[in-house]
Amino acid sequence: MKKSIYVLIVLVLALASCEDSGKEDTIISQGDYPVKEYYLERNPNTNPWGVGMDFIHDECSLEETELDYMYLTEDSVNQYDIDFYTVKAYYTDDNGDTQSEGCPAMLLGEGVTACKIGEGIDFFDSLLTVTEEMIGSLVTEQEVDYEACKNEDGKYDRELLFAALEECVIGQSFRGNILEIPDGKTEEEVQAVYLIKTAEEGYTKFMVRQFKGEIPNEKQTLVRWQVISE
């Protein structure tokens, strides 16, 4: 009799453990949304105010729509999930001469959280669920104060800008001269994949597929995303 009671207790505890485990592994499954890819201008002269990408909107289930992204103006209101923003940063080389370079970055919009969840286009394509662990890793980022990154001449200081962007979730980690590509690997195999939780509390997977596009898009950056759930 005591043995039977003992076995019953073990079974009850095991079932309770399974239920708790199920709760911990709660997932959000990939919805029926298309993969979207767009080339975005990287030249700060051509794109002075950034490109705002809006993942979830009334037409996010379409293959392509003008609501997916827009080139911002000085008067644009923040209605994007990620802003592809680029400025020209200045530095002094080893010879003491002033040099400049484009300094593009991916900046999270207001109310948006994100985290890195993997690497490479194969991972992107195979990711069909969002786990509780991923959701628990989502973080916000402080707005980059670009004015504070200027030097005495009113130009963007590369060192100050690099330090500020280092605090961002994506920042400039996708850049060709910053991203580390091991021997035998390609860029699209190592570019980071991010989970984005939008201001609408939907989920999207996002990556930079190519920092520098193929000709004739060598002055553009190719981004890739797919909505998981609205």
Side-chain angles (χ1 to χ4, degrees):
M1 180 66 177
K2 290 182 178 179
K3 185 176 181 180
S4 297
I5 293 174
Y6 174 77
V7 172
L8 181 60
I9 292 173
V10 170
L11 287 173
V12 170
L13 291 174
L15 288 171
S17 176
C18 288
E19 289 179 0
D20 289 341
S21 177
K23 291 178 182 177
E24 292 174 358
D25 294 335
T26 300
I27 57 176
I28 299 170
S29 298
Q30 173 72 60
D32 186 20
Y33 298 95
V35 174
K36 298 185 175 183
E37 290 191 344
Y38 294 105
Y39 282 103
L40 306 179
E41 291 289 345
R42 195 173 60 251
N43 187 329
N45 296 323
T46 306
N47 173 24
W49 299 106
V51 185
M53 290 168 268
D54 187 26
F55 301 139
I56 295 177
H57 44 70
D58 291 341
E59 299 178 12
C60 68
S61 60
L62 299 181
E63 289 290 338
E64 184 175 336
T65 166
E66 61 182 12
L67 298 179
D68 287 340
Y69 72 93
M70 66 177 295
Y71 281 85
L72 305 176
T73 67
E74 185 177 6
D75 300 322
S76 293
V77 178
N78 182 350
Q79 295 181 333
Y80 52 79
D81 295 306
I82 294 180
D83 181 13
F84 179 48
Y85 188 60
T86 182
V87 299
K88 188 171 290 187
Y90 292 80
Y91 64 98
T92 303
D93 65 17
D94 294 337
N95 297 322
D97 298 323
T98 299
Q99 303 290 349
S100 67
E101 65 176 70
C103 190
M106 298 287 177
L107 311 173
L108 300 185
E110 184 177 350
V112 177
T113 56
C115 65
K116 179 180 175 180
I117 53 175
E119 294 181 349
I121 193 167
D122 287 343
F123 176 86
F124 180 102
D125 291 339
S126 66
L127 178 69
L128 301 176
T129 59
V130 176
T131 66
E132 287 293 331
E133 182 180 3
M134 292 177 184
I135 293 174
S137 299
L138 294 167
V139 296
T140 58
E141 68 182 26
Q142 291 187 347
E143 183 178 355
V144 176
D145 186 352
Y146 274 82
E147 287 300 311
C149 297
K150 289 183 176 179
N151 58 27
E152 296 176 351
D153 298 326
K155 296 180 178 180
Y156 293 108
D157 182 284
R158 188 177 68 167
E159 185 175 347
L160 293 176
L161 198 52
F162 275 29
L165 294 174
E166 187 70 25
E167 301 301 315
C168 296
V169 178
I170 304 176
Q172 59 175 348
S173 58
F174 58 90
R175 287 183 57 181
N177 56 349
I178 292 179
L179 178 70
E180 294 185 7
I181 304 176
D183 291 341
K185 292 283 188 178
T186 63
E187 177 186 357
E188 71 172 19
E189 290 178 306
V190 298
Q191 282 282 8
V193 177
Y194 298 90
L195 177 67
I196 311 294
K197 184 177 182 181
T198 70
E200 300 91 349
E201 298 191 346
Y203 293 92
T204 301
K205 51 186 175 181
F206 172 85
M207 71 178 295
V208 172
R209 181 167 183 174
Q210 282 184 309
F211 167 64
K212 183 178 180 180
E214 304 289 344
I215 296 175
N217 301 306
E218 67 272 20
K219 293 184 179 181
Q220 299 176 325
T221 291
L222 180 61
V223 296
R224 178 183 179 91
W225 76 74
Q226 184 176 22
V227 172
I228 297 173
S229 68
E230 293 185 63

